[in-house]
Amino acid sequence: MSILDQARIRLLYFGLLLAIVGLSALYVSVYLQNLHVMSIVLGGVLLSFIALFKYLSFKPHWRTISHMLLIIGTLVNLATVFVILQDVNIITVQIIILVIVFSFYMQGQNWGMFYSLLNLLPVLIFMVMKYDHKYFIDFKPETADDSTTIIAVFANFTLIIFIHSHFYTAFLKNIQQLKDTGEEQTALNIKFERAIEKAAKSSQVQSEFLSTMSHEIRTPLNAVIGMSNLLLMNNPRQDQSENLEILKFSANNLLAIVNDVLDFNKIESGKVVFEKIKFNLVDLMQNICGGQIIKAEEKGLLFKLDIDSSLRHKVIFGDPTRLTQVIFNLVSNAIKFTANGSILVRVTCLEDRHNNITVSFSVKDTGIGIKKENLQTIFEPFTQESITTTRQYGGTGLGLAIIKRLLQLQSLKMHVSSKVGQGSEFSFNMEFPVSTVIVSVKERSSALQQSQQTIAQAEGLGSNLRILIAEDNPVNVMLMKKLFSKWKIVPTIAENGERAVEIMQYGNFDVVLMDLQMPVMSGFDASMEIRKMTDPAKANVPIIALTASALFDIRDQVINAGMNDYVAKPFKPDELMEKIQNLVASVNN
Ligand code: ADP
């Protein structure tokens, strides 16, 4: 119950008591004077007040009780003016004031106005009529003595003062309570803000931690993968070769897990930006499924890729990397969770609206299937269908969580239907804007030729290519030296950024491979120093950043520091050579 309602009930309680005392005194006074009408009226009013007081202590119906009091007050007021006294005296005025104050406080604006006018207007009319002596009522007015008037005036004023002071206190309390609630609210808001800040900070710390950890894990992984590549290149014995393959496979697996965790972290912190570049869906699907078909066949599964032929010559805009990630994950899961039967990947053009197409992607398998109650939970991060899944198939339970979020970010939804023991189907629809360019078969084969040519050219790079490598990790240095020995290149090594800048001042190089995190001077600072050199050949030397860091905006940072490109460790030797070749060629042209 609000403070005001509580105050109203208290007011009625004590007000009625006061009124009963006052009325009793008045009753005695008029009775002793033998004023019959007044005695009857006052007696009636007294009895009704006592009855209302009883009712109030029984049920706190303040609204009804105050209405009844106001009706009684109005009747008494009008009867006194028009019949009993046939006069307007100070008591009448007091009663009117009492009714006005009481009705407003108890019943609010509308009823307050109603009772006020009901009491005031007839009295005003009476006064006007009396002024003209035009009224006529066949009743001899009574007049009370002074003591009665004094008692009435005193009682009425006491009531008026009581009502006012009571309500004034209640209003003050109400205001104080509002203030207190406001202050509590503000304190709570401050607490919330702090909690939000703390959460944001902890998520930032988590994201930084993951990024640092990934760097720490990727650096040795780089060495493991690189070394197994090198050992595999050196014609190992068959048993060695098998062991090396296992080593390489496990290291690559570990790298995939680290990448998944990082990717999830990146998506969760809302740092994914989708590209809008041109590509052909048929080429992309064939590339994705190329490697997967081999895996499926190794398991004795039938793999079918069914693409709508209308997509063959269409160039569309979208993010092929992210789309690859989604399809690749779905197909990998399908192969992983299917022991025999088939995998069907279907790409259908649902709608072709000239400059926009809607494509449906579906990956269907005949594998172990998923229980109905688990169809939602498998999309939660780090969640697999059961402990048995983890034991039997491994995995982190991040793949579907990443896919779901990637689709969600593009306002898309993944649909799953599955029957335990019969298989599963994952599908989603995606819209793509269509380019007006049409790819011909000839173009596609020439693009392929071009990339093959680049690799060939890279392999043809002679020992005359002068490479400066800024790298502090001795294992990585050894790895790079061995790697470049394949092309008969002997690179110059600088153990930190400062050394790299010094060596650049004295020697001439065709390309600089710059590790980013190094002691003394970082790769960023060293690159900026090189770009400031007066000799234009040195200032413009191609610089490729080598980084194991998975910082989200690494590309921007690298370009801002004046470097030309970057390669993430662990890198593929051919990819690195291709970049070197392209950069050197572009500088020489
Ligand atoms: P992971 O593959 O690393 O376990 P995912 O997030 O990709 O993680 O998958 C989560 C779980 O969903 C899997 O562990 C598996 O229980 C279930 N699942 C996913 N794809 C399939 C499928 N094609 N058939 C049966 N179960 C699947």
Side-chain angles (χ1 to χ4, degrees), residues 186-257:
T186 320
L188 217 63
N189 281 350
I190 293 173
K191 263 191 194 164
F192 275 138
E193 268 167 29
R194 284 206 190 122
I196 291 170
E197 250 172 53
K198 220 170 149 184
K201 225 182 213 166
S202 92
S203 118
Q204 195 190 344
V205 169
Q206 178 199 337
S207 141
E208 277 164 15
F209 168 78
L210 279 172
S211 158
T212 318
M213 276 307 285
S214 85
H215 178 248
E216 297 304 317
I217 295 172
R218 279 170 176 227
T219 306
L221 257 185
N222 176 32
V224 174
I225 295 172
M227 283 298 175
S228 23
N229 273 336
L230 279 177
L231 289 172
L232 278 167
M233 276 183 207
N234 288 345
N235 295 329
R237 292 196 314 267
Q238 179 160 5
D239 58 325
Q240 286 174 330
S241 152
E242 277 165 12
N243 291 347
L244 282 171
E245 283 297 349
I246 293 171
L247 178 67
K248 195 174 139 186
F249 175 78
S250 305
N252 275 326
N253 233 355
L254 185 54
L255 185 66
I257 293 172

Side-chain angles (χ1 to χ4, degrees), residues 231-450:
L231 289 172
L232 278 167
M233 276 183 207
N234 288 345
N235 295 329
R237 292 196 314 267
Q238 179 160 5
D239 58 325
Q240 286 174 330
S241 152
E242 277 165 12
N243 291 347
L244 282 171
E245 283 297 349
I246 293 171
L247 178 67
K248 195 174 139 186
F249 175 78
S250 305
N252 275 326
N253 233 355
L254 185 54
L255 185 66
I257 293 172
V258 172
N259 285 342
D260 262 3
V261 173
L262 279 170
D263 213 25
F264 186 71
N265 188 33
K266 185 172 169 180
I267 294 170
E268 283 293 275
S269 48
K271 287 183 177 146
V272 171
V273 183
F274 291 93
E275 284 188 306
K276 262 214 152 47
I277 53 176
K278 283 183 195 172
F279 66 98
N280 176 268
L281 208 46
V282 177
D283 286 347
L284 186 82
M285 288 307 294
Q286 278 170 349
N287 280 341
I288 301 171
C289 295
Q292 301 284 51
I293 290 174
I294 301 169
K295 264 198 216 162
E297 277 171 359
E298 276 169 6
K299 273 186 96 172
L301 303 171
L302 191 76
F303 193 106
K304 193 159 179 256
L305 173 60
D306 183 2
I307 310 179
D308 213 320
S309 56
S310 66
L311 296 168
R312 200 157 292 278
H313 303 294
K314 279 199 163 61
V315 174
I316 56 174
F317 290 96
D319 191 331
T321 318
R322 290 298 178 182
L323 184 58
T324 302
Q325 195 176 4
V326 174
I327 307 280
F328 186 87
N329 255 307
L330 291 180
V331 176
S332 300
N333 274 349
I335 297 173
K336 185 157 113 181
F337 296 107
T338 306
N340 41 50
S342 59
I343 314 289
L344 171 62
V345 180
R346 199 184 292 138
V347 182
T348 326
C349 183
L350 291 182
E351 254 185 276
D352 189 345
R353 293 174 303 278
H354 180 58
N355 54 359
N356 223 329
I357 52 168
T358 307
V359 181
S360 146
F361 296 87
S362 142
V363 179
K364 196 173 173 185
D365 62 57
T366 56
I368 58 171
I370 303 154
K371 281 192 198 143
K372 206 172 170 208
E373 64 264 29
N374 293 331
L375 286 179
Q376 296 291 328
T377 51
I378 51 166
F379 288 97
E380 296 301 318
F382 305 105
T383 309
Q384 298 187 306
E385 210 199 338
S386 70
I387 291 286
T388 335
T389 318
T390 324
R391 230 179 286 135
Q392 214 173 330
Y393 301 95
T396 53
L398 268 180
L400 289 181
I402 293 177
I403 293 179
K404 184 183 166 188
R405 278 161 179 75
L406 281 179
L407 291 183
Q408 260 174 358
L409 286 175
Q410 302 171 83
S411 312
L412 303 175
K413 223 179 148 218
M414 174 74 76
H415 301 278
V416 202
S417 60
S418 185
K419 270 211 172 117
V420 176
Q422 291 187 22
S424 321
E425 180 173 6
F426 290 78
S427 61
F428 62 96
N429 298 342
M430 203 180 250
E431 256 188 56
F432 301 94
V434 183
S435 160
T436 41
V437 180
I438 294 172
V439 254
S440 64
V441 180
K442 212 168 120 196
E443 261 179 82
R444 245 195 261 154
S445 65
S446 83
L448 194 73
Q449 269 172 12
Q450 208 178 354

Side-chain angles (χ1 to χ4, degrees), residues 94-112:
Q94 276 188 318
I95 293 179
I96 294 173
I97 295 176
L98 254 177
V99 168
I100 292 173
V101 171
F102 187 73
S103 61
F104 269 98
Y105 282 156
M106 294 303 288
Q107 302 289 354
Q109 178 76 17
N110 294 344
W111 280 113

